[in-house]
Amino acid sequence: KELPSAHHVADLVRGIHHRGPDDSGLWVSPTKDCVLGHARLSIIDLSPLGHQPMVDSETGNSLVFNGEIYNFQTLRKECEAAGDTFRSNSDTEVILALYRRYGVDCLAKLRGMFAFALWDERYKRLFLARDRVGKKPLNYALSEAGLSFCSELDPLSRHPGIDSGMDMEALELYLQCQFIPAPWTIYRGIRKLPPAHYAIYDRNGLKLVRYWEVNYREKI
């Protein structure tokens, strides 16, 4: 049976083609609970081995990742010392390996700019995360059909079932601040995942968690 929302995800990927013109991909989970799409800008691993969505052959987990992990080579060596093997030279595969070992606590090890979504096949849940200062965008929308997300607002606002009416509170914030702070967007039905937060979406709904805060203690 074809997953009803698969073609909607394909539309989202086409809507962000300008962000990643080098490659694109679509992945459907075995139980058809999740569809991930990706438009790729090749930077680190230019080969087809860096294709996304990237699937962990050991767990069945799947990842779409936007950004760059600056310390991924050090993290890769740590994973290899612990017995992990890698097929590609991408930082994407390192995130999958770290999640396999540490779960959501893998975020504490990542240094860089990133926004990613990881489908956990064992627990049937989606793990969303955004870097500490919000360098990379991640917008999401909850509807009766489930949770949808995208790097950009425009494609997501045209996704069926999402309330794309103007959020008057967000408009007021824009007039006061000259930008719209997270979690608001100009659309009523779309929110930004705040910087330094991750989210878990499963059968119990959506839960947001702050995983990092600025440390203002005196430094030597």
Side-chain angles (χ1 to χ4, degrees), residues 87-133:
R87 295 175 58 251
S88 74
N89 294 312
S90 71
D91 45 0
T92 310
E93 192 175 7
V94 172
I95 297 174
L96 281 170
L98 291 171
Y99 182 81
R100 188 169 62 236
R101 194 172 299 277
Y102 300 107
V104 298
D105 292 335
C106 70
L107 293 171
K109 293 183 169 291
L110 302 180
R111 300 289 180 266
M113 52 180 183
F114 58 84
F116 66 77
L118 188 152
W119 173 253
D120 188 317
E121 177 61 24
R122 177 183 178 185
Y123 293 106
K124 300 292 186 294
R125 67 184 185 186
L126 188 67
F127 169 42
L128 303 168
R130 193 174 178 203
D131 63 70
R132 290 165 176 77
V133 297

Side-chain angles (χ1 to χ4, degrees), residues 107 114 127-133 138 192-199 208-213:
L107 293 171
F114 58 84
F127 169 42
L128 303 168
R130 193 174 178 203
D131 63 70
R132 290 165 176 77
V133 297
L138 185 50
K192 301 170 188 171
L193 183 66
H197 280 68
Y198 72 82
L208 271 64
V209 179
R210 175 183 284 274
Y211 68 85
W212 179 83
E213 291 198 42

